[in-house]
């Protein structure tokens, strides 16, 4: 006969202590939250308008000029939010978004965990190695796409060297489109993992605070 599931006593005690005594700690400071939601909203508009500008969908009947204005305005907003995050990181000496060698060495173990080959993820700093790789690639690609955006905006007036270096307008459009697809492929992974792995992390991204389990001592 199947035995009823019984939790081991030490685990049960730990769980009880965590929810009763666990103290609330500030995990996501206000500027990180402002950056996060501001950047997420702006990027959503940038990606959708970018797709429309790349290949207008006839059934939407949108005004091309207005879509371009929205694309540019939210592009500047997103750049502003990124500047804010960089300034905050410099002032707070926060390097939580910069991947280090030891973070990358933990990636295979993290992948093994995601593919159900390990019971627990390897230890990590504020963000795990997978998150770090995605966030860092987003920062880099967003800056590349913004620079290329300026090149096409100034068509031949400024940054002409970059225009030539890239190989002309069609190559430039192709690069920006590829970056858009990368964002569209990785954002759902980010949303899925950050809302399933540890829900208190999502709470922290909204309220700033997370409940920290007490020390075992
Ligand atoms: C509904 C959509 C989203 C949800 C629920 C969400 C949730 C979260 C959560 C919970 C974290 C913290 C992860 C942790 O503590 O382990 C986080 C971090 C982050 N997310 Fe999102 N996210 C969303 C959309 C986006 C989008 C669209 C972007 C931009 C591409 C984005 C970029 C980031 C970045 C860069 C961080 C690191 C924040 C920092 O330390 O500066 N997120 N997100």
């Amino acid at each position: 006969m199947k035995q009823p599931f019984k939790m081991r006593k030490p685990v049960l005690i730990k769980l009880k202590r965590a929810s009763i005594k666990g103290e609330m700690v500030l995990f996501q400071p206000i500027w990180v939250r402002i950056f996060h939601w501001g950047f997420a909203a702006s990027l959503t508009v940038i990606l959708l308008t970018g797709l429309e500008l790349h290949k207008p969908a006839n059934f939407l009947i949108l005004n091309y000029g207005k879509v371009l204005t929205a694309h540019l305005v939210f592009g500047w907003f997103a750049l502003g939010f990124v500047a804010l995050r960089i300034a905050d990181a410099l002032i707070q000496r926060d390097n939580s978004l910069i991947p280090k060698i030891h973070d990358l060495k933990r990636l295979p173990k993290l992948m093994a965990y995601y593919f159900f080959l390990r019971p627990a993820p390897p230890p990590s700093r504020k963000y795990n190695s997978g998150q770090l790789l995605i966030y860092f690639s987003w920062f880099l690609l967003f800056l590349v796409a913004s620079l290329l955006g300026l090149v096409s905006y100034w068509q031949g007036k400024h940054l002409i060297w970059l225009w030539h270096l890239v190989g002309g307008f069609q190559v430039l459009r192709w690069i920006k489109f590829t970056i858009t697809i990368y964002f569209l492929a990785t954002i759902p992974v980010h949303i899925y993992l950050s809302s399933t792995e540890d829900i208190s992390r999502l709470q922290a991204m909204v309220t700033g605070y997370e409940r920290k389990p007490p020390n075992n001592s």
Side-chain angles (χ1 to χ4, degrees):
M1 211 177 79
K2 220 178 167 190
Q3 292 290 319
F5 175 73
K6 214 173 153 207
M7 207 174 262
R8 286 194 302 123
K9 213 174 165 193
V11 179
L12 207 66
I13 292 172
K14 233 176 163 183
L15 275 176
K16 275 189 187 153
R17 265 205 228 142
S19 65
I20 298 163
K21 290 189 188 162
E23 50 173 330
M24 298 297 275
V25 287
L26 182 66
F27 188 72
Q28 299 290 11
I30 183 75
W31 292 113
V32 174
R33 283 177 281 148
I34 291 177
F35 153 73
H36 180 265
W37 295 113
F39 186 65
S42 309
L43 203 75
T44 306
V45 178
I46 296 170
L47 295 175
L48 294 177
T49 50
L51 286 177
E52 172 69 11
L53 293 171
H54 185 81
K55 196 170 191 299
N58 292 336
F59 63 92
L60 286 177
I61 327 171
L62 292 175
N63 179 306
Y64 196 87
K66 284 186 181 154
V67 176
L68 179 63
T69 307
H71 190 71
L72 295 174
V73 167
F74 281 90
W76 283 111
F77 271 134
L79 270 171
F81 286 117
V82 169
L84 200 104
R85 181 67 176 94
I86 293 176
D88 183 62
L90 290 175
I91 293 168
Q92 305 293 338
R93 295 175 192 274
D94 163 21
N95 62 3
S96 58
L97 283 177
I98 301 175
K100 298 194 172 152
I101 298 290
H102 69 263
D103 292 315
L104 302 182
K105 282 187 183 160
R106 289 172 182 155
L107 189 63
K109 283 186 180 165
L110 181 73
M111 285 299 139
Y113 167 69
Y114 283 145
F115 287 105
F116 308 102
L117 299 170
R118 272 175 62 101
S124 59
R125 294 189 290 142
K126 183 175 180 183
Y127 301 122
N128 68 39
S129 43
Q131 288 172 307
L132 279 173
L133 276 184
I134 289 190
Y135 299 157
F136 200 67
S137 67
W138 282 350
F139 272 108
L140 291 183
L141 290 177
F142 175 70
L143 293 180
V144 170
S146 305
L147 191 62
L148 293 182
L150 283 178
V151 175
S152 46
Y153 182 72
W154 280 326
Q155 297 210 1
K157 275 195 216 138
H158 307 282
L159 295 174
I160 309 162
W161 60 272
L162 195 52
W163 175 285
H164 290 304
L165 185 78
V166 167
F169 190 54
Q170 287 311 327
V171 185
L172 197 144
R173 285 185 69 218
W174 181 84
I175 297 174
K176 283 180 76 183
F177 182 72
T178 312
I179 292 177
T180 305
I181 298 300
Y182 176 77
F183 271 107
L184 291 177
T186 45
I187 288 173
V189 178
H190 167 67
I191 296 176
Y192 171 72
L193 289 179
S194 48
S195 46
T196 53
E197 182 64 31
D198 180 355
I199 199 71
S200 68
R201 289 296 183 96
L202 182 55
Q203 178 189 358
M205 199 40 111
V206 177
T207 64
Y209 288 87
E210 184 183 45
R211 195 182 288 280
K212 189 174 164 250
N215 289 334
N216 301 349
S217 55

Coordinates of all heavy atoms in Angstrom, one line a residue, residues 67-111:
V67 N 3.5 55.4 -35.9 CA 4.2 54.2 -35.3 C 5.7 54.5 -35.2 O 6.3 54.2 -34.1 CB 4.0 53.0 -36.3 CG1 4.8 51.8 -35.8 CG2 2.5 52.6 -36.4
L68 N 6.2 55.3 -36.1 CA 7.7 55.6 -36.0 C 7.9 56.6 -34.8 O 8.9 56.4 -34.1 CB 8.1 56.3 -37.3 CG 9.6 56.8 -37.4 CD1 10.5 55.6 -37.2 CD2 9.9 57.6 -38.6
T69 N 7.0 57.5 -34.6 CA 7.1 58.4 -33.5 C 7.1 57.6 -32.2 O 8.0 57.9 -31.3 CB 6.0 59.5 -33.5 OG1 5.9 60.1 -34.8 CG2 6.2 60.5 -32.4
A70 N 6.2 56.7 -32.1 CA 6.1 55.9 -30.8 C 7.4 55.1 -30.6 O 7.9 55.0 -29.5 CB 4.9 55.0 -30.9
H71 N 7.9 54.6 -31.7 CA 9.1 53.8 -31.7 C 10.3 54.6 -31.2 O 11.0 54.2 -30.3 CB 9.4 53.3 -33.1 CG 10.5 52.2 -33.2 ND1 10.4 51.0 -32.7 CD2 11.8 52.3 -33.7 CE1 11.5 50.3 -32.9 NE2 12.3 51.1 -33.5
L72 N 10.4 55.9 -31.7 CA 11.5 56.7 -31.3 C 11.3 57.2 -29.8 O 12.3 57.2 -29.1 CB 11.5 58.0 -32.2 CG 11.9 57.7 -33.7 CD1 11.8 58.9 -34.5 CD2 13.3 57.1 -33.8
V73 N 10.1 57.6 -29.5 CA 9.9 58.2 -28.1 C 10.2 57.1 -27.1 O 10.9 57.3 -26.1 CB 8.4 58.7 -28.0 CG1 8.0 58.9 -26.6 CG2 8.2 59.9 -28.9
F74 N 9.7 55.9 -27.3 CA 9.9 54.8 -26.3 C 11.3 54.3 -26.3 O 11.8 53.9 -25.3 CB 8.9 53.7 -26.4 CG 7.6 54.1 -25.8 CD1 6.6 54.7 -26.6 CD2 7.3 53.9 -24.5 CE1 5.4 55.1 -26.0 CE2 6.1 54.3 -23.9 CZ 5.2 54.9 -24.6
G75 N 12.0 54.5 -27.5 CA 13.4 54.2 -27.6 C 14.2 55.1 -26.6 O 15.1 54.7 -25.9
W76 N 13.8 56.4 -26.6 CA 14.5 57.4 -25.7 C 14.2 57.1 -24.3 O 15.0 57.2 -23.4 CB 14.2 58.8 -26.1 CG 14.9 59.3 -27.3 CD1 14.4 59.6 -28.6 CD2 16.3 59.5 -27.5 NE1 15.4 60.0 -29.4 CE2 16.6 59.9 -28.8 CE3 17.4 59.4 -26.6 CZ2 17.8 60.2 -29.3 CZ3 18.7 59.7 -27.1 CH2 18.9 60.1 -28.4
F77 N 12.9 56.7 -24.0 CA 12.5 56.4 -22.7 C 13.4 55.2 -22.2 O 13.9 55.2 -21.1 CB 11.0 55.9 -22.6 CG 10.1 57.1 -22.4 CD1 8.9 57.2 -23.1 CD2 10.3 58.0 -21.4 CE1 8.0 58.2 -22.9 CE2 9.4 59.0 -21.2 CZ 8.3 59.2 -21.9
A78 N 13.4 54.2 -23.0 CA 14.2 53.0 -22.6 C 15.7 53.3 -22.3 O 16.2 52.8 -21.3 CB 14.1 51.9 -23.7
L79 N 16.2 54.2 -23.2 CA 17.6 54.6 -23.0 C 17.8 55.3 -21.6 O 18.7 55.1 -20.9 CB 18.1 55.5 -24.1 CG 18.7 54.8 -25.3 CD1 18.9 55.7 -26.5 CD2 20.1 54.2 -24.9
G80 N 16.7 56.1 -21.3 CA 16.7 56.9 -20.1 C 16.7 55.9 -18.9 O 17.5 56.1 -17.9
F81 N 15.9 54.9 -19.0 CA 15.8 53.9 -17.9 C 17.1 53.1 -17.7 O 17.6 52.9 -16.6 CB 14.6 52.9 -18.1 CG 13.3 53.5 -17.8 CD1 12.4 53.6 -18.8 CD2 13.0 54.0 -16.6 CE1 11.1 54.2 -18.6 CE2 11.7 54.6 -16.3 CZ 10.8 54.7 -17.3
V82 N 17.8 52.8 -18.8 CA 19.1 52.1 -18.8 C 20.1 53.0 -18.1 O 20.9 52.6 -17.3 CB 19.5 51.6 -20.2 CG1 20.9 51.1 -20.2 CG2 18.6 50.5 -20.7
A83 N 20.1 54.3 -18.5 CA 21.0 55.3 -18.0 C 20.8 55.4 -16.4 O 21.8 55.4 -15.7 CB 20.9 56.6 -18.6
L84 N 19.6 55.4 -16.0 CA 19.2 55.4 -14.6 C 19.8 54.2 -13.9 O 20.4 54.3 -12.8 CB 17.7 55.4 -14.5 CG 17.1 55.9 -13.2 CD1 16.5 57.2 -13.5 CD2 15.9 54.9 -12.9
R85 N 19.7 53.0 -14.5 CA 20.1 51.8 -13.8 C 21.7 51.8 -13.7 O 22.2 51.4 -12.7 CB 19.7 50.6 -14.6 CG 20.1 49.2 -14.1 CD 19.4 48.9 -12.7 NE 19.7 47.6 -12.2 CZ 20.7 47.4 -11.4 NH1 21.5 48.4 -10.9 NH2 20.9 46.2 -10.9
I86 N 22.3 52.3 -14.8 CA 23.8 52.3 -14.8 C 24.3 53.3 -13.7 O 25.2 53.0 -12.9 CB 24.3 52.7 -16.2 CG1 24.0 51.6 -17.2 CG2 25.9 52.9 -16.1 CD1 24.4 51.8 -18.6
A87 N 23.6 54.5 -13.7 CA 24.0 55.5 -12.7 C 23.8 54.9 -11.2 O 24.7 55.0 -10.4 CB 23.2 56.7 -12.8
D88 N 22.7 54.2 -11.0 CA 22.4 53.6 -9.7 C 23.5 52.6 -9.4 O 24.0 52.5 -8.2 CB 21.0 53.0 -9.7 CG 20.7 52.5 -8.3 OD1 20.6 53.2 -7.4 OD2 20.5 51.2 -8.2
A89 N 23.8 51.7 -10.4 CA 24.8 50.7 -10.1 C 26.2 51.3 -9.8 O 26.9 50.8 -8.9 CB 24.9 49.8 -11.4
L90 N 26.5 52.4 -10.4 CA 27.8 53.0 -10.1 C 27.8 53.6 -8.7 O 28.7 53.5 -8.0 CB 28.1 54.1 -11.2 CG 28.4 53.6 -12.6 CD1 28.6 54.8 -13.6 CD2 29.7 52.7 -12.6
I91 N 26.7 54.3 -8.4 CA 26.6 55.0 -7.1 C 26.6 53.9 -6.0 O 27.3 54.0 -5.0 CB 25.3 55.9 -7.0 CG1 25.5 57.0 -8.0 CG2 25.1 56.4 -5.6 CD1 24.2 57.8 -8.2
Q92 N 25.8 52.8 -6.2 CA 25.7 51.8 -5.1 C 26.8 50.8 -5.2 O 26.8 49.8 -4.4 CB 24.4 51.1 -5.2 CG 23.1 51.9 -5.2 CD 22.9 52.6 -3.9 OE1 23.4 52.1 -2.9 NE2 22.2 53.7 -3.9
R93 N 27.7 50.9 -6.2 CA 28.8 49.9 -6.4 C 28.1 48.5 -6.5 O 28.6 47.5 -5.9 CB 29.8 49.9 -5.3 CG 30.6 51.2 -5.3 CD 31.5 51.2 -4.1 NE 32.1 52.5 -3.8 CZ 33.1 53.0 -4.5 NH1 33.8 52.3 -5.3 NH2 33.6 54.2 -4.2
D94 N 27.1 48.4 -7.3 CA 26.3 47.2 -7.5 C 26.7 46.5 -8.8 O 26.5 47.0 -9.9 CB 24.8 47.6 -7.5 CG 23.9 46.5 -8.1 OD1 24.4 45.3 -8.1 OD2 22.8 46.8 -8.5
N95 N 27.4 45.3 -8.6 CA 27.8 44.6 -9.8 C 27.0 43.4 -10.1 O 27.5 42.4 -10.7 CB 29.3 44.3 -9.8 CG 29.7 43.4 -8.6 OD1 28.8 43.0 -7.9 ND2 30.9 43.1 -8.4
S96 N 25.8 43.4 -9.5 CA 25.0 42.1 -9.6 C 24.6 41.8 -11.1 O 24.2 40.6 -11.3 CB 23.7 42.3 -8.8 OG 23.0 43.4 -9.2
L97 N 24.7 42.7 -12.0 CA 24.3 42.4 -13.4 C 25.5 42.0 -14.3 O 25.3 41.8 -15.5 CB 23.5 43.6 -14.0 CG 22.1 43.7 -13.6 CD1 21.5 45.0 -14.2 CD2 21.3 42.5 -13.9
I98 N 26.7 42.1 -13.7 CA 27.9 41.8 -14.5 C 28.3 40.3 -14.3 O 28.7 40.0 -13.1 CB 29.0 42.7 -14.2 CG1 28.5 44.2 -14.4 CG2 30.3 42.4 -15.0 CD1 29.5 45.3 -14.1
P99 N 28.2 39.5 -15.3 CA 28.6 38.1 -15.1 C 30.1 38.0 -14.8 O 30.9 38.7 -15.5 CB 28.3 37.4 -16.5 CG 27.6 38.5 -17.3 CD 27.9 39.8 -16.7
K100 N 30.5 37.1 -13.9 CA 31.9 36.8 -13.6 C 32.2 35.4 -14.0 O 31.3 34.6 -14.2 CB 32.2 37.0 -12.1 CG 31.9 38.4 -11.7 CD 32.4 38.7 -10.3 CE 32.3 40.2 -10.1 NZ 32.1 40.6 -8.7
I101 N 33.5 35.1 -14.1 CA 33.9 33.8 -14.6 C 33.3 32.7 -13.7 O 32.7 31.7 -14.3 CB 35.5 33.6 -14.5 CG1 36.1 34.6 -15.4 CG2 35.9 32.2 -14.9 CD1 35.9 34.4 -16.9
H102 N 33.3 32.8 -12.4 CA 32.7 31.8 -11.6 C 31.2 31.6 -11.8 O 30.7 30.5 -11.5 CB 33.1 31.9 -10.1 CG 32.5 33.1 -9.4 ND1 33.2 34.3 -9.2 CD2 31.3 33.2 -8.8 CE1 32.4 35.1 -8.6 NE2 31.2 34.5 -8.4
D103 N 30.5 32.7 -12.2 CA 29.1 32.6 -12.5 C 28.9 31.7 -13.7 O 28.1 30.8 -13.7 CB 28.5 34.0 -12.8 CG 28.5 34.9 -11.7 OD1 28.0 34.4 -10.6 OD2 28.8 36.1 -11.8
L104 N 29.8 31.9 -14.7 CA 29.7 31.1 -16.0 C 30.0 29.7 -15.8 O 29.4 28.8 -16.4 CB 30.5 31.7 -17.0 CG 30.2 33.2 -17.3 CD1 31.1 33.7 -18.4 CD2 28.8 33.4 -17.7
K105 N 30.9 29.4 -14.8 CA 31.3 28.0 -14.6 C 30.2 27.2 -14.0 O 30.1 26.0 -14.1 CB 32.5 28.0 -13.6 CG 33.8 28.3 -14.3 CD 35.0 28.1 -13.3 CE 36.3 28.4 -13.9 NZ 37.3 28.7 -12.9
R106 N 29.2 27.9 -13.4 CA 28.1 27.3 -12.8 C 26.9 27.0 -13.8 O 26.0 26.3 -13.4 CB 27.5 28.1 -11.6 CG 28.4 28.1 -10.4 CD 27.9 29.1 -9.4 NE 28.8 29.2 -8.3 CZ 28.9 30.2 -7.5 NH1 28.2 31.3 -7.7 NH2 29.7 30.2 -6.5
L107 N 27.1 27.5 -15.0 CA 26.0 27.4 -15.9 C 25.6 25.9 -16.3 O 24.4 25.6 -16.3 CB 26.3 28.2 -17.2 CG 25.2 28.3 -18.2 CD1 24.1 29.1 -17.7 CD2 25.7 29.0 -19.5
P108 N 26.6 25.0 -16.5 CA 26.2 23.6 -16.8 C 25.4 23.0 -15.7 O 24.4 22.3 -16.0 CB 27.6 22.9 -16.9 CG 28.6 24.0 -17.3 CD 28.1 25.2 -16.6
K109 N 25.8 23.3 -14.4 CA 25.0 22.7 -13.3 C 23.6 23.3 -13.3 O 22.6 22.6 -13.0 CB 25.7 23.0 -12.0 CG 26.9 22.1 -11.7 CD 27.4 22.3 -10.4 CE 28.6 21.3 -10.2 NZ 29.5 21.7 -9.1
L110 N 23.5 24.6 -13.6 CA 22.2 25.2 -13.6 C 21.3 24.6 -14.7 O 20.1 24.3 -14.5 CB 22.3 26.7 -13.8 CG 21.0 27.5 -13.8 CD1 20.4 27.6 -12.4 CD2 21.2 28.9 -14.4
M111 N 21.9 24.4 -15.9 CA 21.2 23.8 -17.0 C 20.7 22.4 -16.6 O 19.6 22.0 -16.9 CB 22.0 23.7 -18.2 CG 22.2 25.0 -18.9 SD 20.6 25.6 -19.4 CE 20.6 27.3 -19.0

